[in-house]
C-alpha cells in the first residue's frame, strides 16, 4: 500500500470525524434556510480543480461519479428529518447518520483501493469531488424543501398568547 493512499485515507477519516462532530453540535441550534443551502455553494469552489487539466475525468468517469453520488444521497435523505421545538425548526438527531457517513467513507475507500491504480490520482480526486457534490446537492435540496414545508406549518399556527398564563408556568 502506498504512503499517499494511507495519508489520503487517514485524512478522509479525520475529515469525516470533524463533519460528525460539527453535525452533532449543529443539531443543538435551530436550522435556517441559509445554513441548509449555502454548503453546496461553498463546496462548488472546489470545482476550480478542473482548471488543472490532469484533474479532468472523462465523460464516462463524470457520469459514474455523479450517479454513485446521487444514489448515496438517498441514504442521507433517509436519515434526515426536522422537528419543531419552541416554534423553531431543528434537525432531528439521527444515530444512523454517523454510521452512514462512516459507511460511505469505507465504501469510498474500497472503491479507491479497487480503481486507484487504474486511474491517475488527480482524476480520482476529481471523480470523488463530483461524487461528493452529487451526494450533497440532492440532499440539501431535499432538506430545503422539508424546511420550507415546516416553515409554512409554523406560519399557519397561531403564536401562543403570552398574556394568558399557561397551566405549566409557575
Amino acid at each position: 500500500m502506498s504512503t499517499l493512499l494511507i495519508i489520503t485515507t487517514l485524512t478522509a477519516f479525520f475529515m469525516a470525524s470533524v463533519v460528525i462532530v460539527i453535525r452533532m453540535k449543529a443539531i443543538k441550534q435551530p436550522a435556517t434556510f441559509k445554513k441548509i443551502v449555502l454548503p453546496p455553494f461553498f463546496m462548488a469552489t472546489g470545482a476550480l480543480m478542473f482548471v488543472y487539466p490532469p484533474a479532468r475525468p472523462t465523460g464516462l468517469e463524470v457520469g459514474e461519479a455523479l450517479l454513485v453520488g446521487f444514489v448515496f444521497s438517498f441514504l442521507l435523505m433517509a436519515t434526515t428529518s426536522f422537528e419543531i421545538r419552541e416554534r423553531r425548526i431543528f434537525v432531528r438527531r439521527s444515530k444512523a447518520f454517523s454510521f452512514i457517513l462512516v459507511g460511505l467513507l469505507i465504501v469510498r475507500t474500497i472503491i479507491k483501493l479497487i480503481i486507484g491504480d487504474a486511474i491517475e490520482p488527480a482524476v480520482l480526486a476529481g471523480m470523488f469531488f463530483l461524487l461528493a457534490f452529487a451526494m450533497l446537492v440532492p440532499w440539501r435540496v431535499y432538506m430545503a424543501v422539508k424546511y420550507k414545508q415546516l416553515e409554512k406549518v409554523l406560519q399557519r399556527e397561531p403564536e401562543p398568547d403570552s398574556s394568558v398564563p399557561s397551566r405549566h408556568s409557575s
Side-chain angles (χ1 to χ4, degrees), residues 3 6 13 21 23 36 39 57 61-62 73 78 85 90 112 130 157 159 161 169:
T3 305
I6 292 169
F13 275 97
V21 169
R23 290 272 300 153
I36 292 169
E61 292 165 339
V62 167
S73 73
R85 289 184 292 188
F90 289 82
K112 189 175 184 181
L130 291 170
E157 290 179 1
E159 291 212 26
D161 187 359
S169 63

Side-chain angles (χ1 to χ4, degrees), residues 115-166:
I115 67 172
D117 291 335
I119 299 175
E120 291 295 318
V123 172
L124 196 57
M127 289 179 68
F128 280 120
F129 170 82
L130 291 170
L131 185 152
F133 197 69
M135 187 170 60
L136 181 70
V137 171
W139 176 44
R140 291 303 176 132
V141 167
Y142 168 83
M143 288 177 71
V145 168
K146 293 295 181 187
Y147 180 87
K148 285 295 186 183
Q149 288 172 348
L150 280 179
E151 205 172 46
K152 286 179 183 175
V153 168
L154 278 175
Q155 289 170 356
R156 283 191 301 243
E157 290 179 1
E159 291 212 26
D161 187 359
S162 58
S163 64
V164 177
S166 71

